[in-house]
Amino acid sequence: MYAITIPEPGGPEALVWAEVPDPVPGEGEVLVEVAASAVNRADLLQRQGFYDPPPGSSPYPGLECAGRVAALGPGVSGWAVGDEVCALLAGGGYAEKVVVPAGQLLPVPEGVDLTTAAALPEVACTVWSNVFMLAHLRPGETLLVHGGASGIGTMAIQLAKAVGARVAVTAGGPEKLARCAELGADILIDYREQDFVEELAKATDGAGADVILDIVGAKYLERNVKALAVNGRLVVIGLQGGVKGELNLGALLAKRAAVLATTLRSRPAQEKAAIVAAVREHVWPLIGAGTVRPVVDRTLPMTEAAEGHRALEDGRHVGKVLLLTPQA
């Protein structure tokens, strides 16, 4: 088979479409013939040499895919060769074939075509596990999403609105904010021109956000704590703004608030399987009903993965960038 390889870390040009050995499913695993994968920030970090795949996982980038079941490993039940699926991966999505633990497979949702389904697993699992399973966002609460026009942001807006929450977003520029509004965002903040702490306070009569989903990290830490409501929950899932920041514990204590930080890629298989099962139970029906939909900015041939990486690095996207294999 062919896959996107990274012979040496570097810029987008470091991604090389090359022939590699076919993967073989082991106990409890499924072989998927990939139709499409999607570009995630973790892929960019891996390409640059900053984020190695977890031990034992595929060396190729790609944290999600959609395709058809090609073979079943020993001990797998509930799936059959030919099933159309999408999957949460620890790596290997940028390839013609990938091996997946059976617990990380999802059926393609009703009303979604096979390639578009590749836009769903990573964002759905990230948002559901963090905003709902961890931070317990409830109806009537306010969620602040940093990077509202990103793949994660577009999913977070829709899921929060579906459960009856109020949604505030930060994004860069009026065009991206308009797209967020189309998805249901109530409070629109241009981080280039506005201070999100001040704007959120104005919009909530000083109450702040009950839950903040943050991809920025250290750069926003102090302001995020200021923006939290009493009993608020800050969930940090990205470090685009650095890894070290100063935390005012007094401010945190005064608000009886919590700071939580998670990653998805390195979790044990059983934890990922539990998240995938929760997504299938709670999110897939919303997608099937049309209440929540995948947001795809563009599709590219997988051989042009470098262009997909450039799009994310330049911020020239709303939602997901998909990569299609030659057999798609």
Side-chain angles (χ1 to χ4, degrees):
M1 73 168 188
Y2 279 80
I4 291 289
T5 63
I6 309 172
E8 295 290 338
E13 68 281 355
L15 301 173
V16 178
W17 184 247
E19 191 168 8
V20 298
D22 283 15
V24 178
E27 181 76 28
E29 295 180 330
V30 173
L31 179 67
V32 175
E33 184 179 77
V34 176
S37 187
V39 181
N40 288 279
R41 290 280 171 186
D43 303 330
L44 276 59
L45 292 172
Q46 181 175 337
R47 186 203 74 220
Q48 295 164 344
F50 300 137
Y51 194 6
D52 291 336
S57 60
S58 172
Y60 317 122
L63 300 186
E64 57 195 331
C65 75
R68 296 177 178 85
V69 173
L72 305 176
V76 174
S77 60
W79 302 99
V81 171
D83 285 348
E84 293 193 343
V85 297
C86 53
L88 180 69
L89 309 172
Y94 290 20
E96 292 182 316
K97 297 176 183 177
V98 66
V99 163
V100 188
Q104 292 167 219
L105 282 180
L106 287 155
V108 172
E110 185 177 347
V112 178
D113 66 75
L114 181 61
T115 55
T116 302
L120 290 170
E122 177 71 14
V123 294
C125 289
T126 296
V127 173
W128 191 261
S129 63
N130 285 288
V131 175
F132 299 95
M133 296 174 72
L134 182 62
H136 302 290
L137 181 71
R138 294 181 287 269
E141 290 191 323
T142 297
L143 169 69
L144 170 60
V145 181
H146 289 302
S150 66
I152 286 172
T154 55
M155 177 60 66
I157 294 167
Q158 295 180 83
L159 286 177
K161 293 300 293 184
V163 302
R166 189 182 188 194
V167 180
V169 297
T170 63
E175 292 183 4
K176 287 190 174 183
L177 289 172
R179 294 292 300 278
C180 292
E182 291 172 4
L183 294 170
D186 305 286
I187 303 166
L188 308 173
I189 304 168
D190 187 339
Y191 70 83
R192 296 174 180 172
E193 306 290 339
Q194 299 170 296
D195 182 279
F196 70 82
V197 179
E198 294 178 0
E199 297 302 319
L200 188 65
K202 291 177 188 176
T204 61
D205 295 325
D210 301 287
V211 176
I212 299 176
L213 185 63
D214 178 47
I215 59 173
V216 177
K219 182 180 177 181
Y220 276 9
L221 180 59
E222 182 180 1
R223 285 193 287 162
N224 276 333
V225 173
K226 289 181 180 178
L228 279 175
V230 173
N231 296 314
R233 292 85 73 196
L234 166 61
V235 186
V236 180
I237 60 169
L239 301 170
Q240 294 179 33
V243 300
K244 293 183 179 180
E246 186 170 299
L247 179 63
N248 186 333
L249 293 175
L252 206 63
L253 284 167
K255 292 186 175 183
R256 303 186 297 280
V259 178
L260 309 157
T262 73
T263 61
L264 183 58
R265 186 181 195 182
S266 60
R267 291 192 184 209
Q270 63 268 27
E271 290 187 19
K272 290 182 182 178
I275 292 169
V276 167
V279 165
R280 184 171 182 175
E281 178 183 356
H282 297 285
V283 179
W284 254 222
L286 295 172
I287 296 172
T291 305
V292 173
R293 60 183 177 85
V295 178
V296 176
D297 184 89
R298 70 192 74 179
T299 59
L300 298 165
M302 194 169 286
T303 52
E304 297 178 19
E307 179 58 29
H309 279 221
R310 292 187 185 100
L312 254 69
E313 289 177 335
D314 295 344
R316 297 180 286 112
H317 68 292
V318 174
K320 301 287 286 191
V321 176
L322 300 185
L323 304 175
L324 276 56
T325 60
Q327 67 257 27

